[in-house]
Amino acid sequence: GGAYQDARKVSIEMNAANEEAVGLFLQDKIRFYDIADAVEAALRLPVVQEPSLADIFEADRLARIHTRERFLK
């Protein structure tokens, strides 16, 4: 259903943001506590109802871009 799809997409965005933020942390580009901020920011990205596989890949890509741009200005 709709809530399940939303939860899946949000988890994709949270995971992508987390992976990017951890990578930036390991490169000493952000602080440890910035990781949580990056994941929280990913929750504000738009949600597509009933996403296709392409939508899921796009959500992942956009969350990663959003995370990098947030910290690497």
Side-chain angles (χ1 to χ4, degrees), residues 21-22 24-26 28-37 71:
V22 168
L24 293 172
F25 169 73
L26 293 174
D28 292 324
K29 297 188 182 216
I30 65 172
R31 298 170 302 148
F32 177 77
Y33 293 105
D34 290 332
I35 296 170
D37 293 339
F71 295 106

Side-chain angles (χ1 to χ4, degrees), residues 8-46:
R8 274 194 1 202
K9 182 171 182 294
V10 167
S11 67
I12 290 162
E13 291 172 336
M14 289 174 56
N15 182 64
N18 183 64
E19 287 179 359
E20 286 297 314
V22 168
L24 293 172
F25 169 73
L26 293 174
Q27 296 171 37
D28 292 324
K29 297 188 182 216
I30 65 172
R31 298 170 302 148
F32 177 77
Y33 293 105
D34 290 332
I35 296 170
D37 293 339
V39 173
E40 182 181 346
L43 295 174
R44 293 188 288 269
L45 294 172

